[in-house]
Amino acid sequence: MKFYMTPGSCSTGIHILLEEVGAVFEVYIVNLPAGGHLEPDYVAINPKSTIPTLVRKDGSPVTEFQAIAWWLARQYPKHRLLPEGADGEVKVLEAMDYVVGTIHGQGFTRIFTTPNFTPNPADHDVVRARGREIVERGFAVMDAQLAGREFVAGSFSIADAALFYTEFWADKLKMNLPPNCREHYLRMLERPSVRQVLREEGYRV
């Protein structure tokens, strides 16, 4: 398989899942800040110009964090990245979608790509502040869900990989994580797959 990713981005979460299941894959770095996602060769693989992209053995690409994570969980069932039963699976998908769609998609996106939300530089501080509000509220929601649990669904799942990459961003921005999220983040940092991925992506662990 071929894995198209940008170090330190949301693709870090998928990178972790690939290592968790012991998948054999080649890494292709997409230089997102330099516009690598807009290069014709990459657009031919993923017309949405987003990361990550996982090209499977048959040559077909899968895009979007949630879709790739779910496919990996289904493709490697012995690693139990999803709970058994529809109710448990729905809870994981619900949490993962909230993290990726809201904490990342509505919150951190306003912080990292502020000009996309307003052409007026005078409004940038307001946009970033709104992003932080969304992120903080999102972590408060996840903090409540983590109460009394080590992981989002009790045991490690694809939702934890999603939550981790947003916690990682918060840590790098020196944002305060609520207690349960902080414990989850520290717990994730001790996982061998996480430590390996962070080293490979150029971070000290």
Side-chain angles (χ1 to χ4, degrees), residues 9-124:
S9 72
C10 61
S11 60
T12 297
I14 297 298
H15 196 176
I16 290 167
L17 294 176
L18 285 164
E19 295 296 348
E20 284 278 344
V21 301
V24 177
F25 60 98
E26 298 174 348
V27 171
Y28 293 81
I29 301 297
V30 179
N31 190 335
L32 202 61
H37 59 304
L38 302 174
E39 293 293 330
D41 288 349
Y42 186 66
V43 175
I45 298 168
N46 179 354
K48 291 179 284 188
S49 297
T50 57
I51 56 158
T53 298
L54 183 67
V55 178
R56 296 174 291 187
K57 293 178 183 179
D58 65 0
S60 62
V62 183
T63 65
E64 304 301 329
F65 186 101
Q66 300 97 313
I68 298 171
W70 184 85
W71 183 83
L72 287 171
R74 286 294 194 176
Q75 189 70 14
Y76 299 89
K78 71 176 184 179
H79 293 277
R80 298 182 179 180
L81 297 179
L82 284 171
E84 293 183 4
D87 286 348
E89 187 170 326
V90 164
K91 287 293 184 184
V92 166
L93 294 175
E94 181 183 37
M96 181 174 60
D97 189 63
Y98 181 69
V99 171
V100 176
T102 301
I103 298 179
H104 172 183
Q106 297 182 35
F108 278 112
T109 301
R110 281 177 165 82
I111 297 171
F112 294 145
T113 59
T114 308
N116 290 344
F117 290 85
T118 174
N120 186 357
D123 296 330
H124 285 184

Side-chain angles (χ1 to χ4, degrees), residues 174-194:
K174 301 189 183 305
M175 297 176 69
N176 291 324
L177 289 168
N180 296 325
C181 287
R182 183 68 184 172
E183 288 300 316
H184 177 267
Y185 177 59
L186 295 175
R187 190 174 295 114
M188 287 289 293
L189 285 174
E190 294 301 315
R191 290 186 77 82
S193 63
V194 175

